[in-house]
Amino acid sequence: MNPARVVAIAIRALLRNKLRSFLTTLGVVIGVAAVIAMTAIGAGASARVQATFEAMGSNMLVVLSGASQMGGARGGHGSQPTLTWSDLDAIRGLPAVRLAAPQLQRSAQVMGDGQNWNTMIQGTTPELFDIRNWRIARGRFFDEDEERAGSKVAVVGNTVVQNLFGPYEDAVGQVIRIGDVPFEVVGVAAAKGQTGFGQDQDDVVIIPSRTFRAKLQGGLQQFIAGAVVASARSAADAGRAQSQIEELLRQRHRIAPAGQDDFHVRNLSDIAASQQESARTMTSLLAGIALVSLVVGGIGIMNIMLVSVTERTREIGLRMAVGAKPRNILVQFLVEAVALSIAGGILGTAAGLGAASWLAARFGWPMLVQPQFVVAAVAFSAAVGVAFGMWPALQASRLDPIQALRYE
Amino acid sequence: MALIELRDVTKVYDTGDVQVRALAGVSLDVEAGESVAVMGASGSGKSTLMNLLGCLDRPTGGTYRLAGEDVGSLDRNRLAEIRNRTLGFVFQSFNLLARTSAVENVELPLLYSGVAPAERRRRARTALARVGLAERAHHHPSQLSGGQQQRVAIARALVVEPRIILADEPTGNLDSRTSADVMSLLQALGDSGITIVLVTHEPDIAAYAGRVLEMKDGLLRSDVRRPAARAAPAAARGEVPPSLASAPEDAPSLASAPEDAP
């Protein structure tokens, strides 16, 4: 018999019992749908993690100053200023570092247009906008000249604009006061949303670092009252940039090889990578669970095929009597099992794609169906059909025609 | 050389504790074109003989040569080929596939002999026409009467153009009138040169055959040949209702075999 004919006969046999065939495939349908939906969800979550970290700044490193120690009580990183402005210049000269900028911070009350708002003031240099992928919504960033001159200009985040001027007012050109110092708003930063940790990145006023030092920071002018952020030349360079910075600062701060560092470098690429890794692990875990349900579906097929062999014992006997060889019977039942499981695979793919796009729309994730998982799920369902169809088919092919014909 | 040659054939079933000797040594020659009825009480070994003749089973001892080939030495695949090409089966319970049209039931043996689909359909229709059911090709078994179903089964046996048709109680599930129709049909096939072996326990059915074997306790008890096979329906006539007297005595055309009462 030619293969197309065998398949046609198998499909006819399955269609004789439509409801049962459908219910039998349901296990595989659910299994395949689950694999596809789960992997799509996992990929979407992973892409979202990536996007979050890209918003924070790609290839970004944060250099924090050391921990303070006062009579046995140790502060956290950054509590003791140890980084100097000349450290920053040295970091800017490292080969693996593309840009570096100071990030001076303190919270302050800001006034404007009759309202006031407590927010985070950041003093920095124009490189920061580049390092942190910050885009401007209206107006402009401040520039190098304004940094050098210590101009009283500010770029404000969206949350601050909302709270001082309301949603409809253009803040550019307005004057805000930080303490009693007036600043001209030259730009409004594009909304960045929250960090992965729930921190509002738009609740900020950014001013030149020289202005920050002169007007908002008292004392210790040679130290950076905050952190240094830097970006590596590429994602692959992030690790190298980190070790170069560590080595440089150890030298500059004269720390003995066994001594305690008085600074700390955080590599955000590492955090992003580990987050993605955990998303991937989650995806594999979910896909694994889904695969288990596929195997359960396969057992359902085996069960029904065994029932079918028993029910059709006389038919098998008759087919043998009129000339079917054991191999013909084996192939007939095996093809039925595989047809069931592949039909389940195809229906499951459709259901899985539907579920994935629904979930993607619901959670606002990108819909990332991974074709290799679709192919793998369908191939696996066919393999399930062969694996679980083999035993019933062998049973059928080994029947004795005389007994089979007599079977009631 | 006879078409069927049994020499001292024995068949022993091993049921664990007890060995059942179903055939105790049967020797038999059946020439091509003969029609043979095998009679005997249940347990006499006639079904076992039938299974052996039908190549569904192999003898425990002795030799069975079918058209010169020693069946005892063949494997399952070769036996399946012989069943497919040389033999046609007719069963008491028809054994048609449910929810499958008459013509597809008739095609079934051809599926296993590598005949192309168009040729298969053509031959199945021809076989159905030979049993007088050309118009019912697309009826399912549930839409056919018992006699019609058995004629579909006969068409299925015929479709491979077998040398032998083996009929195991072919009228066991039929009333006497349709029995006569089915037997006339088988007899006409015998007249056309096909060897017929039928198992029955009814003497009036056996009377259609030109040769009657009687079995008891796994042995052949008697082997009676009637000189003229034509005599068979006449002999049967005395025992069936008068309405059957109109059954065609010489069945000139198979296609004209009488239609069953619906």
Side-chain angles (χ1 to χ4, degrees), chain A residues 133-146:
Chain A
N133 282 340
W134 227 317
R135 308 220 184 293
I136 201 87
R138 283 189 296 279
R140 60 178 179 82
F141 293 124
F142 54 81
D143 59 23
E144 279 297 331
D145 294 338
E146 286 164 326

Side-chain angles (χ1 to χ4, degrees), chain A residues 53 94 126 138 197 219 308 318 401:
Chain A
F53 276 92
L94 289 171
R138 283 189 296 279
F197 318 106
S308 176
L318 173 76

Side-chain angles (χ1 to χ4, degrees), chain B:
Chain B
M1 185 184 61
L3 180 59
I4 294 172
E5 270 184 26
L6 298 181
R7 288 292 171 270
D8 215 15
V9 166
T10 58
K11 181 71 196 179
V12 178
Y13 291 109
D14 199 345
T15 59
D17 317 332
V18 204
Q19 289 204 329
V20 179
R21 208 169 167 79
L23 289 182
V26 173
S27 295
L28 171 69
D29 281 355
V30 177
E31 301 293 335
E34 269 192 292
S35 69
V36 181
V38 182
M39 296 193 67
S42 61
S44 62
K46 61 186 195 303
S47 292
T48 306
L49 179 65
M50 229 19 198
N51 290 337
L52 286 179
L53 291 178
C55 297
L56 292 164
D57 210 345
R58 279 172 293 203
T60 312
T63 55
Y64 168 28
R65 289 178 172 280
L66 176 62
E69 195 163 13
D70 184 359
V71 170
S73 64
L74 302 176
D75 66 4
R76 283 188 82 175
N77 287 332
R78 180 70 190 127
L79 288 177
E81 277 171 24
I82 291 179
R83 291 196 297 269
N84 187 231
R85 306 218 168 115
T86 314
L87 303 175
F89 290 89
V90 177
F91 304 95
Q92 177 175 358
S93 53
F94 322 139
N95 276 332
L96 298 178
L97 297 187
R99 285 185 265 184
T100 305
S101 69
V103 68
E104 285 171 313
N105 265 293
V106 175
E107 276 183 8
L108 193 63
L110 299 178
L111 279 179
Y112 300 108
S113 50
V115 178
E119 171 71 1
R120 210 152 57 206
R121 187 51 56 106
R122 194 188 64 70
R123 282 171 65 175
R125 285 184 176 285
T126 307
L128 274 176
R130 279 180 81 179
V131 301
L133 286 177
E135 262 96 78
R136 314 261 165 160
H138 295 289
H139 287 50
H140 286 192
S142 58
Q143 299 165 311
L144 297 171
S145 71
Q148 286 170 331
Q149 288 186 52
Q150 193 60 302
R151 274 152 58 196
V152 172
I154 292 170
R156 182 181 62 200
L158 271 179
V159 76
V160 295
E161 285 157 26
R163 300 190 65 181
I164 306 171
I165 286 182
L166 296 161
D168 191 354
E169 303 273 13
T171 59
N173 286 6
L174 300 176
D175 62 37
S176 56
R177 192 206 139 109
T178 46
S179 293
D181 289 347
V182 163
M183 288 315 298
S184 305
L185 180 55
L186 282 175
Q187 193 181 35
L189 294 175
D191 290 347
S192 72
I194 299 174
T195 307
I196 311 274
V197 178
L198 80 100
V199 163
T200 182
H201 58 267
E202 295 174 72
D204 53 326
I205 296 299
Y208 281 86
R211 180 178 174 192
V212 178
L213 305 173
E214 193 166 349
M215 292 197 69
K216 195 176 180 191
D217 299 332
L219 290 168
L220 277 184
R221 270 309 182 76
S222 67
D223 182 350
V224 180
R225 280 172 214 257
R226 257 178 275 270
R230 280 294 155 274
R237 195 175 298 147
E239 301 170 50
V240 295
S243 64
L244 206 74
S246 61
E249 276 204 11
D250 48 0
S253 153
L254 292 171
S256 71
E259 195 76 8
D260 282 314

